[in-house]
Amino acid sequence: MKINLTSVFVDDQAHALRFYTETLGFLKKHDVPVGAGGDRWLTVVSPEAPDGTELLLEPSGHPAVAPYRTALAQDGIPAASFAVDDVRAEHDRLRSLGVHFTQEPMEMGAVTTAVLDDTCGNLIQIMQIR
């Protein structure tokens, strides 16, 4: 068994696609219209693993989403965590692109993490394991 797909809820799929591809560097994998409301089955993947785990940029229209995301954000809990080779370098790269971090790089034993705001309603952790 392996993880094939995971998701984050996003307020605006087009905006999320731009942020996750143009800013974070993921690649668009699938973009399929679903339903009459304009929602899409929209996934991105790491360029390092184009056939690996997909991240679904899931529309946030379900009534349970808003209280869930609000509670996570208020408690500073990331909705997802992405591995990077160098947290400090990635932090600097993203900061230069205007990305807001809610947690600066922090070393915790063999792990360094930082938390960013994805501009789509989520906190995202980047992490490096040494």
Side-chain angles (χ1 to χ4, degrees), residues 4 7 12-13 16 19-20 25 27 37 43 58-61 65-66 81 88 90 105 110 116 127:
N4 182 56
S7 64
D12 177 318
Q13 286 185 300
F19 182 82
Y20 277 80
L27 302 174
T43 67
E58 179 114 26
S60 62
V65 173
S81 182
R88 293 186 190 287
E90 192 64 14
L116 62 95
M127 67 179 294

Side-chain angles (χ1 to χ4, degrees), residues 75-89:
D75 289 345
I77 299 171
S81 182
F82 304 142
V84 297
D85 291 333
D86 184 333
V87 165
R88 293 186 190 287

Side-chain angles (χ1 to χ4, degrees), residues 2 8 13 51 53 55 87 91 93 99 108 116 121-122:
K2 65 180 183 174
V8 291
Q13 286 185 300
D51 294 320
T53 304
L55 178 67
V87 165
H91 169 269
R93 181 187 79 81
V99 174
M108 297 176 283
L116 62 95
N122 305 291

